[in-house]
Amino acid sequence: MRFARCDETAAWAALQAHFDAHGRSFDLRQVFAQDTGRAAALSFEAPEVFADLSKNRLDATTLNLLLGLARERGLEAHRDAMFAGETINTTEGRAVLHTALRAPRGQGPFSDQVHGVLEAMLAYAEAVRDTAASGIRHVVNIGIGGSDLGPQMVVPALDAFAHPGLTLHFVSNVDGHDIMRVLRRLQPADTLFIVASKTFTTQETMANAQAARDWFLAGGRMKESQIAQHFVATTTNAEAAARFGISTTFGFWDWVGGRYSLWSAIGLPIALAIGAEHFRALLAGAHAMDRHFESAPLERNLPALLGLLDVWYRNFHGFTSRCIAPYHQGLARLPAYLQQLEMESNGKRVDLAGTPLALATSPVVWGEPGTNGQHAYFQMLHQGSDVIPVEFIAVRTPAHALADQHRKLLANCLAQSQALMLGKTREEALTEAAVTAGKTVDAMTLASHRSFPGNRPSTTLVLDALTPRALGALVAMYEHRVFTSGALWGINSFDQWGVELGKALASELLPRLDSGDTSGLDGSTATLLQRLRA
Ligand code: F6P
């Protein structure tokens, strides 16, 4: 389908006019003072996720105009095309069907294949989890990008559900320090390696898999024939895995994008950690969010609303980044996971027709868990020169019994979004005693340093508990949110050509590191290459 360009729609012009008239001067403190129903009106319920959008710079008019833009851009039709398995990844000629991976049997496309692999994988995971019989105590997932970040994020998030006798390790970087850090603590006899790669050609993963194989066989301590029990592959390329010598392979399909693949066989480390029942709950949570995205009216459709808010901030307010601050230590890797999800999906500069866009696309996504972030980058969020919308994720019930610590965590989470919004005037700062202030600084100067502009936007997402089901729903919410902003911008959120050039140049430079040949290189690269060889 050929849409009008996003910034050439009538809705876009109306949004620009609304931004010029009201958006630029929008003040969160004022709107809360004027409207006691604001929090209720801008709070949304989706499966497992409650979202408070009220501390964002939007009002009913903004929302209506954004919804108009979504409709003018055909968001619902594009969404339906994805769920129906149409080839919406046009540049790779592929369908985009990660949603089929979490549909109950008989309810999604390719159901027999999906459930066939799922059942085989879960049965395998349960057999390994019987550690007395399997003898396995350590699992090393070797993969990178989408074949690493999903399991690496989910496994610690669901630590409360994890098998106590199995330790999961993740190796991704081609930097040998990464794998050596892991291997030096392991014994081959009780270690299982998962070689996870959609293509089974990725340089980093192949190098690490080879290093693992060499380590396994080193000194004759394990035999070639034992590779079959200690190496397993998760890939769409079973032939390449077999050539590597791996006989147990769990497959998936080209319609599963790497960064959308934790629900597929790539989720094997997750299944090993939390078991079949919890893995199914993770899928069920994601499926519940799929149903919400598919069927809720856009006015109450949480992923769609978040995607629309992202467009409002990126293209009208000009905010260049979004900070993710999960107030749950288990979600420490969520920002890194979301970096790939959002920036690899929507970091594009041409539309589906290949025409350069005259508007900004993916923001920078970054963050760290609270409260740690408060003692590092939050200074900039509160008083820096850029406005950076923050996304707080709070979990009501912890998996531990340290009630006092959990109350402190939640109080901090609430306080940060409050502080960002309320700020502190110079007059207020003047009335306060600052015990650590320098003796010679005058009161007005000090008050300037100690004031906060406020009016800084944030979203707070609340989960009742970090269960497999809730995490599945949360991650699917992010996937559909990224889909929404990508669809509005009219880009292909499902290819990643931007990673190709660096890979090709690295292959060309590799032999030069041995030979020292710098002919034809630019001066900088030639100098650095020589320096690194020395
Ligand atoms: O970084 C590019 C990329 O293709 C990602 O999209 C993908 O998740 C990652 O490399 C790993 O690819 P593979 O699973 O094929 O090893």
Side-chain angles (χ1 to χ4, degrees), residues 144-147 197-199 202 205 258-259 340 344 496 499 503:
I144 197 163
S147 299
S197 175
K198 180 176 171 180
T199 55
T202 303
T205 302
R259 54 193 173 273
Q340 189 200 17
E344 200 172 76
Q496 55 284 319
V499 303
K503 285 186 193 173

Side-chain angles (χ1 to χ4, degrees), residues 33 52 100 122-123 179 195 244 339 356 375 398 406 462 467 497 528:
D52 174 12
L122 293 181
I179 191 159
V195 183
F244 185 86
Q339 271 171 354
H375 300 272
H406 191 61
V462 180
T467 59
W497 301 106
L528 291 168

Side-chain angles (χ1 to χ4, degrees), residues 85-98:
E86 286 178 33
T87 309
I88 64 164
N89 176 358
T90 49
T91 59
E92 295 183 311
R94 291 174 181 170
V96 173
L97 275 174
H98 46 280

